[in-house]
Amino acid sequence: MKIQNQHYCSIWLNPHNRQQIQVIDQRFLPHQLEIKTLTRWQDCATAIQDMWIRGAPLIGATAAFGMYLAALQLPAQQPEAYLQQVAQNLLATRPTAVNLRWAVERQLNTLTGLAYNNPLIADTLLNSALEIANEDVETCRLIGVHGLQLLQAIYARKATTGPLNILTHCNAGWLACVDWGTATSPIYHAARAGIPVHVWVSETRPRNQGANLTAWELAQNGIAHTVVVDNCCGHLLQHGMVDICIVGTDRTTRTGDVANKTGTYLKALAAHDNNTPFYVALPSSTIDWQISDGLKEIIIEQRHSDEVKYVGGISNSGQYHRVLITPPNSPAANYGFDVTPARLITGLITERGVCPASQEGLLQLFPEMNRIQ
Ligand code: MRU
């Protein structure tokens, strides 16, 4: 998608130096566009852990490139043990997004049959990381194609005049993926198809990915939007101001339970209470086929309490400030994600089509996963 009319992806191989990976450092958006260069696998781990980059698909792609960078420093002694340890360290960076495990395992699997002292190891991991990134672009594009049909149908049925109002939470946009986004891809496709769209952007405390990132990427791509505080969304839904909710996910169970940024569950409850369709957009790399009970089996990341206690932004003088908003000694809890049970979800928008949030629905689209119990 575009930044100041120029096409960007969120991660890329430096065209002038194949030993460098470059990413947009999302911590400074929307105020500053900073590009960071990652040259060691440890840089990738830090970028994921400290959220220079974030969003489930981008976390996966960054970890895949991390495995490649590790292969560039492969020791002569015990190279396999070294790469396995790097994989473990990357896996420990963030616990909830399953794309991380998916990408790291895929990288290890590409090495099957290759001797670890083979000089082709790094090239193999680079090609596979590029494949993961390119596949994500195509997957998100397809999510947009399928989601567009849904938005066209809802717009055709809309009783009132005015734009199609879509509510989203956090950032499941192109910044969270490699391009297009998951929840935003149907929106970008709808706008291109001539549907007047308007997006309610929920700010997403504590880190404000909605206010900082989604609002910015929509603005850069010419999509009408309005930022609201998280707690306002129930009011919007009660007053018929939302035609459809679309959010992303970090891990979806084989039965259709969805872990996503904290606050998603409350939106789903309010959407259910007001008969408003609630969809989750996801690449199949976000489905954890090994688990079926989201509440019991998904590990919810707990981050530092300072993210709750402080907010950052620029003052009128253009200076960035971080300010404390609680009594200094009040404890704060920071649960990063919550789980929305499948019963509250109208459907899942995937690269293979739209299905009910259920095991039957998912297996209809992904029959090859039937063998995994
Ligand atoms: O903590 P974050 O910013 O990584 O959380 C991101 C989300 O919750 C997104 O909705 C999710 O990763 C889907 S991204 C397509």
Side-chain angles (χ1 to χ4, degrees), residues 161-224:
T161 54
L164 183 71
N165 286 299
I166 302 152
L167 171 66
T168 192
H169 187 52
C170 194
N171 175 263
W174 75 265
L175 288 167
C177 305
V178 178
D179 204 351
W180 287 108
T182 57
T184 53
S185 186
I187 299 171
Y188 291 129
H189 278 79
R192 288 184 185 189
I195 298 178
V197 287
H198 166 260
V199 184
W200 293 110
V201 177
S202 157
E203 64 175 345
T204 319
R205 278 281 288 145
R207 288 185 68 101
N208 290 319
Q209 290 96 326
N212 290 342
L213 304 177
T214 304
W216 183 75
E217 67 160 84
L218 293 175
Q220 291 289 331
N221 289 280
I223 306 288

Side-chain angles (χ1 to χ4, degrees), residues 123-184:
D123 275 354
T124 306
L125 287 171
L126 172 60
N127 290 337
S128 169
L130 289 170
E131 232 170 68
I132 287 173
N134 292 335
E135 264 175 40
D136 187 69
V137 177
E138 177 58 6
T139 297
C140 286
R141 189 188 71 76
L142 288 169
I143 288 171
V145 170
H146 297 299
L148 168 61
Q149 289 173 11
L150 194 65
L151 295 187
Q152 278 167 329
I154 290 176
Y155 185 57
R157 286 201 303 270
K158 187 174 157 82
T160 54
T161 54
L164 183 71
N165 286 299
I166 302 152
L167 171 66
T168 192
H169 187 52
C170 194
N171 175 263
W174 75 265
L175 288 167
C177 305
V178 178
D179 204 351
W180 287 108
T182 57
T184 53

Side-chain angles (χ1 to χ4, degrees), residues 255-319:
T255 53
D257 293 342
V258 160
N260 191 46
K261 182 53 55 191
T262 199
T264 302
Y265 169 54
L266 288 179
K267 286 181 176 61
L269 275 177
H272 193 255
D273 195 42
N274 291 283
N275 294 317
T276 305
F278 187 95
Y279 281 87
V280 179
L282 67 152
S284 52
S285 51
T286 305
I287 305 169
D288 188 342
W289 295 99
Q290 296 170 13
I291 58 170
S292 46
D293 186 333
L295 268 184
K296 289 198 184 128
E297 295 177 277
I298 297 178
I299 297 170
I300 299 296
E301 175 179 27
Q302 290 188 57
R303 295 186 64 85
H304 201 284
S305 58
D306 279 0
E307 290 183 353
V308 175
K309 297 182 68 166
Y310 290 82
V311 288
I314 55 166
S315 62
N316 289 342
S317 65
Q319 293 279 317

